[in-house]
Amino acid sequence: MRNKFDSQLEKLNLELITMGALCEDAISASVKGFLDDDDALCRKAVETEDEINRKERDIESICMKLLLEQQPVARDLRVISSALKMISDMERIGDQAYDIAEIGKFIKNSNVKSKIHIKDMAAAATKMVTDSVDSFVKKDVELARSVMVYDDKVDNLFDCVKDELVQLITEDKANGEIKLTDEVAGSIESVIGIIDSIYDAKAMQPENARS
């Protein structure tokens, strides 16, 4: 019975990694599509968001089977409940990528996008998604702590972007493009806030730490 349960837990971990990879793809495609005026990449981000939603349902099904068909002990229950919370958070990351892709449809041939650190923010957010999911699956406390440290770097980038946008607004009164770009930066910042929740989801519990 326990071997079957452990096999299902391993499947759960693999599915979490897959969902995390989809989130990375969605963020990368949406931001690159936005920056490069690439409608195909924006469409890819929207399609990936649909995949993220399907993956969330698949993982929910695995978790429910583990709860109903097996006999999880307290430690296992913490893992399953944390996984359920994590996939909800990752689904929200997909929503933010979708929003960025939609904004990308409205800003074309803009010199605003090249003047701010949106690309750097997105790269940092993508790394944090990867490390957050890996830290949970591998029960790697040190990796989780490194995400917390990296969070400060992203906060600094966000502050930098806000300052750059304020400067652009003072230089250009026709700032509709700037407002939409600010919304993109806000969406990436929201992703970071969601990631904070992911790596906090029991990853720091001593019983989940890797020896």
Side-chain angles (χ1 to χ4, degrees), residues 28-39 41-42 104 113:
S28 297
S30 62
V31 172
K32 187 170 176 54
F34 169 76
L35 293 174
D36 295 348
D37 297 335
D38 190 326
D39 289 339
L41 278 176
C42 288
K113 294 181 281 189

Side-chain angles (χ1 to χ4, degrees), residues 32-184:
K32 187 170 176 54
F34 169 76
L35 293 174
D36 295 348
D37 297 335
D38 190 326
D39 289 339
L41 278 176
C42 288
R43 286 194 298 272
K44 179 184 176 183
V46 171
E47 292 167 0
T48 304
E49 195 263 342
D50 288 336
E51 291 184 60
I52 290 170
N53 292 338
R54 288 193 292 271
K55 186 59 66 177
E56 179 188 25
R57 292 191 292 272
D58 291 344
I59 295 174
E60 282 178 343
S61 177
I62 294 172
C63 289
M64 290 303 103
K65 287 179 180 179
L66 283 169
L67 290 171
L68 297 174
E69 297 178 5
Q70 306 297 328
Q71 296 178 337
V73 297
R75 180 184 61 187
D76 299 325
L77 287 172
R78 284 193 292 271
V79 171
I80 296 168
S81 62
S82 296
L84 285 168
K85 182 180 184 304
M86 183 184 294
I87 61 173
S88 176
D89 289 335
M90 287 196 285
E91 189 276 333
R92 290 165 56 208
I93 290 176
D95 290 344
Q96 295 298 329
Y98 176 93
D99 290 344
I100 294 170
E102 287 295 301
I103 292 172
K105 297 177 181 179
F106 297 99
I107 304 183
K108 302 295 182 184
N109 303 314
S110 169
N111 64 352
V112 170
K113 294 181 281 189
S114 64
K115 296 180 179 179
I116 59 176
H117 286 75
I118 290 287
K119 184 177 181 180
D120 295 333
M121 275 189 72
T126 301
K127 173 177 170 55
M128 288 180 70
V129 170
T130 303
D131 290 350
S132 296
V133 176
D134 283 353
S135 71
F136 178 84
V137 169
K138 297 174 182 177
K139 300 177 177 60
D140 188 335
V141 172
E142 290 306 314
L143 184 57
R145 287 175 179 149
S146 75
V147 176
M148 297 170 68
V149 172
Y150 211 75
D151 192 5
D152 293 335
K153 177 180 179 179
V154 180
D155 287 341
N156 291 335
L157 279 171
F158 183 65
D159 290 340
C160 180
V161 168
K162 299 296 286 187
D163 291 342
E164 290 165 341
L165 288 172
V166 169
Q167 180 62 32
L168 288 170
I169 289 171
T170 62
E171 295 171 358
D172 183 3
K173 300 302 181 183
N175 52 36
E177 292 180 356
I178 296 172
K179 182 178 184 301
L180 288 174
T181 304
D182 183 37
E183 290 181 13
V184 170

